[in-house]
Amino acid sequence: MAHAAGTDSGDTQGISKPDLAQAGLKNTAKVSSPADRSVRQSAPAPKSKLAAAPMAETAGAANPTLAVGLDAFAMSAHAIELDSSVTSAATPLDITIAWGDGATTTASASGTQIVSSEHTYAELGTYTVKVTVTDKAANTTVTNEVAFTTAGSDYTPYGPTRLLDTRNGTGAPKSKVPAYASAHLKIGGNGSIPAGVTAVVLNVTVTGTTSGGHVTAFADGDEKPSTSNVNFVPGQTVPNLVIVPVGPNGYVNLYNGGWESVDLIADVTGYFTQTASSGYTPLAPQRFVDTRSGTGTPKGQLAGYGSFSTQITGLGKVPASGVTAVALNVTVTNPRSDGHLTVFPSGQQAPTASNVNFTTGQTIANSVIVPVGPDGKISVRNGGWNPADVIVDVVGYYSPQSKGSYLPFAPERMLDTRDPESPVHGPLGGRDYIYAPMSEPGSGITGFVLNATVTNTRDSGFLAVSPDPNTLDEYENNAAGPPPPPTSSTLNWTTGKTVPNLVQASTGGTGVVDFWNQSDGNTDLIVDVFGMYQEN
């Protein structure tokens, strides 16, 4: 990871891509079936037109130690490594592995040894893997089975539905969350959300603030990470989208890192499970709506309490059918009063949930994941009294045809330009960018879920995150060409403000992601990584 301009251009630092690639797998358990569970039997006699006498039982006594133990590990979102530990006399053996999805592979062994095999499943799910070891000379086989669940998770749209509001007692006691304490929010088994969810998409809003602070979302049962999801100052109401792992008990924690108590609101828009549903396809940001220019909707500000619908499917790189939800970055600018925006599927009434909260004259963005209506459209409602301009950028979509499955990480700080130990130390200059090699080309990793925060901002501007067309090798060999500065914004700020936003960053074809400071002044940048999408 490095600045891309100045004397340090091309001087890469920091991130270890293999560590990032495996971070989502580090909590997946090995599943095993020990050798003493092997089932032993005589192999079927060769087929013959002549009737054969039954095999004598003594035939099975040959190679009496023959057995196989199984250990299965997740290699990626869809892939398994299987270690078959064979115990046998020193004799040739045939091994057949039935992977549980209709596919089989064969291998061979000679006596006691471990045979390692790999397989990639087309769909997520739980599969029964059966291994058969045959000693033809002894006319004996042993079999063993192990149930393996793929590590990746697919997305199911849900809501938007309010699960938590401490102002009225929804989902928690009617009381502000004290300083340095957590709201304990049930996800699995709440409403029609199933038990066993691995991660949840929440729009978390903090309000009623009387001091500065931050909110950290994390799985119940995990140690609280040092990362943050929502930053706030006194008197501010601010939302942010989070994709947070869910604890084994079905709960998540929302920690108030401020000096004073706050109210918390959480709206769910979807969840992830280790079963086949909708995968994710990340896109380079594409602008679908801009009321200032008439893109995607009639030109002119969205009236107070007014709504518009806009087509999503069949436009740009979004397919015409099969899309269940869309990932957006929604920006409000030039609002003439305080208010909020609500994004929801077309054909439905606007829910009580809010996606972007704003004050008069403020420009602010927030990430949104929203189901797509039956007509392929989404709707946006202005909950303010007076008109405002609205901008919608599409950054990806979910569909059953998409192969990107989610692997949540234990949240990890990837970059903090304030920290001398960070891969890049020192403010990001105006109109400059940091490039981050985050995955190897061909690894199947298509995107990362990040939280980006700017602070110590010296001028108004916006952060843009986009895939870089250059490879890491080109940067290291000073052969990289200047990437085009993106025009879409990930988050917007004014001088002196600290602003966070969730980012679903596409790795493009090179695995390198750029973070652009689109202002004329320096800013500090903090990036936390929460998970990745992988196709295989």
Side-chain angles (χ1 to χ4, degrees), residues 423-496:
V424 175
H425 177 229
L428 175 58
R431 309 300 168 184
D432 197 1
Y433 71 100
I434 292 171
Y435 64 89
M438 297 185 67
S439 64
E440 294 282 0
S443 66
I445 299 171
T446 59
F448 285 85
V449 174
L450 313 168
N451 202 71
T453 304
V454 293
T455 191
N456 301 323
T457 51
R458 307 292 176 83
D459 194 7
S460 298
F462 66 91
L463 181 77
V465 181
S466 62
D468 193 317
N470 299 293
T471 65
L472 177 59
D473 285 343
E474 288 172 327
Y475 275 112
E476 289 181 329
N477 293 303
N478 295 317
T487 57
S488 59
S489 62
T490 297
L491 58 86
N492 300 70
W493 69 82
T494 54
T495 305

Side-chain angles (χ1 to χ4, degrees), residues 16 20 86 95 200 314 349 356-357 384 531:
S16 169
L20 275 179
V86 178
I95 302 172
V200 64
Q349 284 192 328
V356 185
N357 294 68

Side-chain angles (χ1 to χ4, degrees), residues 241-265:
L241 194 73
V242 303
I243 301 178
V244 58
V246 177
N249 62 354
Y251 281 79
V252 301
N253 293 320
L254 302 177
Y255 172 79
N256 172 19
W259 301 313
E260 302 288 345
S261 59
V262 298
D263 277 310
L264 292 178
I265 304 162

